[in-house]
Amino acid sequence: MNSALQCLSNVPQLTKYFLTSSTNSNSVSRTYSNLLKGLWTTNNTLSTTPALKSLKNAISGLAPIFTDYQQQDSHEFMNVLLNAIQLEHSDIERLFLGKIQSTVICSKCGVPDCTIDDTSFLQLPLPQEKSRLTTISDCVEEFMKEDDLDGQWHCSTCNGLHDARQKSDIYSLPEVLIIQLKRFNHDPNRLDKIDINIDYPLYNLDLTKYVIEKQQQTWMYNLVAVSVHRGQLSGGHYVTYAKNKDTQEWYEFNDEHVTRINDESTVKTKDAYVLIYLRND
Ligand SMILES: [Zn+2]
């Protein structure tokens, strides 16, 4: 919870919205707004503990897995929190929403069938190549790889059930890009963590060549936060690296310990799990 909240709290557009907006109608938005006011208001004497407790309760009401005090998934917490606050704030929704194009190609007639869906996260699979340095681009290419569709496809062109191929593409990307590196294998027969190092840039992550929509000249991103998972799937520990919007300095948030990071290359770690990038424009 701490790791997810410190990541999102350091997204300047989102925090500005909640520090200045007063129309927070659902309980998650209201308590999240109170928490941010406690965290970001200077000379504050307010404790953030009551706001944190209320937020945990509000989130547990939406997602019962967060009711107790077991360790859960930081990305899952972000997902529930963002869904709840986007419901009533279309300005926030716009900040985070990208579009993924899914294509199914019929093996008989070869006619592609495309659908475009909104998503708040770019969930990237990790290619299993330990022989060389794996980059975000490698993960994007893995995500875009054409594959056999499980089962048969009802083709509306030749009107029958046939084998098919499927492919995902990035149609457009949002201003605030949240990348989940899919390190955790939740297959009950093979629960494990994919422990490979993914190289990601702090500045100028260039995704231009992968994006279909050409309204933007370029799709370039700078890193603002990383949710880091150290250790194994069954336990382990979450910390966050995040860049302060006012000072532009990086900090490590490790439970109650907050430490300034002097060498920003520290932010590149093999344990990165969720990366938050802001578009350069
Ligand atoms: Zn067909």
Side-chain angles (χ1 to χ4, degrees):
M1 183 177 174
N2 191 37
S3 179
L5 289 173
Q6 294 294 1
C7 280
L8 292 177
S9 164
N10 285 285
V11 174
Q13 299 93 320
L14 184 65
T15 291
K16 188 179 167 201
Y17 184 89
F18 277 99
L19 293 181
T20 53
S21 142
S22 54
T23 54
N24 298 315
S25 34
N26 73 29
S27 65
V28 173
S29 300
R30 207 165 40 242
T31 53
Y32 186 61
S33 176
N34 289 340
L35 175 66
L36 289 180
K37 283 169 186 158
L39 286 173
W40 288 97
T41 307
T42 48
N43 300 326
N44 81 80
T45 51
L46 285 170
S47 163
T48 53
T49 309
L52 272 172
K53 283 186 173 164
S54 306
L55 183 62
K56 184 177 180 296
N57 287 339
I59 293 284
S60 305
L62 298 172
I65 58 158
F66 295 111
T67 305
D68 61 18
Y69 295 89
Q70 298 296 307
Q71 178 160 298
Q72 302 293 345
D73 186 305
S74 68
H75 172 263
E76 187 57 27
F77 190 91
M78 272 185 225
N79 183 27
V80 176
L81 176 61
L82 276 180
N83 275 328
I85 60 185
Q86 283 173 356
L87 275 179
E88 293 174 37
H89 304 276
S90 56
D91 293 343
I92 298 177
E93 193 176 34
R94 258 194 302 279
L95 282 179
F96 291 92
L97 273 197
K99 291 182 191 296
I100 301 298
Q101 175 176 294
S102 308
T103 307
V104 179
I105 305 143
C106 171
S107 64
K108 183 139 187 278
C109 67
V111 174
D113 183 284
C114 292
T115 51
I116 295 178
D117 294 302
D118 290 340
T119 180
S120 302
F121 303 98
L122 184 58
Q123 296 174 291
L124 297 181
L126 309 189
Q128 292 273 49
E129 274 179 75
K130 294 201 178 187
S131 54
R132 63 177 181 87
L133 192 60
T134 309
T135 64
I136 292 288
S137 291
D138 295 323
C139 300
V140 172
E141 276 158 29
E142 183 76 15
F143 170 81
M144 292 170 59
K145 212 155 77 182
E146 195 177 304
D147 204 0
D148 285 332
L149 185 80
D150 286 338
Q152 291 214 302
W153 161 251
H154 184 267
C155 174
S156 56
T157 303
C158 55
N159 198 23
L161 282 176
H162 302 292
D163 291 339
R165 302 277 288 167
Q166 63 180 347
K167 187 179 185 330
S168 296
D169 290 286
I170 299 170
Y171 188 81
S172 67
L173 290 173
E175 191 176 329
V176 181
L177 174 62
I178 304 182
I179 296 176
Q180 179 195 18
L181 300 173
K182 293 170 77 178
R183 289 197 180 280
F184 300 127
N185 186 348
H186 291 290
D187 177 347
N189 300 318
R190 220 181 123 257
L191 282 173
D192 64 4
K193 181 176 172 187
I194 303 166
D195 215 7
I196 66 171
N197 188 17
I198 305 294
D199 188 45
Y200 50 94
L202 273 65
Y203 301 99
N204 299 321
L205 170 65
D206 187 356
L207 296 172
T208 309
K209 69 174 176 178
Y210 301 114
V211 180
I212 294 172
E213 217 242 24
K214 295 297 176 207
Q215 269 186 15
Q216 291 258 136
Q217 290 278 307
T218 58
W219 301 84
M220 303 271 277
Y221 288 85
N222 293 336
L223 190 66
V224 71
V226 187
S227 179
V228 175
H229 180 271
R230 294 174 183 155
Q232 288 309 301
L233 174 62
S234 53
H237 181 60
Y238 279 105
V239 302
T240 281
Y241 296 139
K243 194 176 195 173
N244 184 289
K245 65 182 172 56
D246 299 328
T247 65
Q248 299 295 303
E249 288 171 322
W250 284 91
Y251 287 85
E252 182 189 272
F253 297 89
N254 182 353
D255 292 339
E256 69 271 41
H257 303 288
V258 181
T259 318
R260 199 175 74 199
I261 294 169
N262 294 315
D263 175 6
E264 67 178 13
S265 68
T266 310
V267 167
K268 288 169 83 161
T269 160
K270 71 168 185 55
D271 293 317
Y273 174 46
V274 180
L275 305 168
I276 303 189
Y277 279 94
L278 306 183
R279 205 164 59 204
N280 284 4
D281 58 297

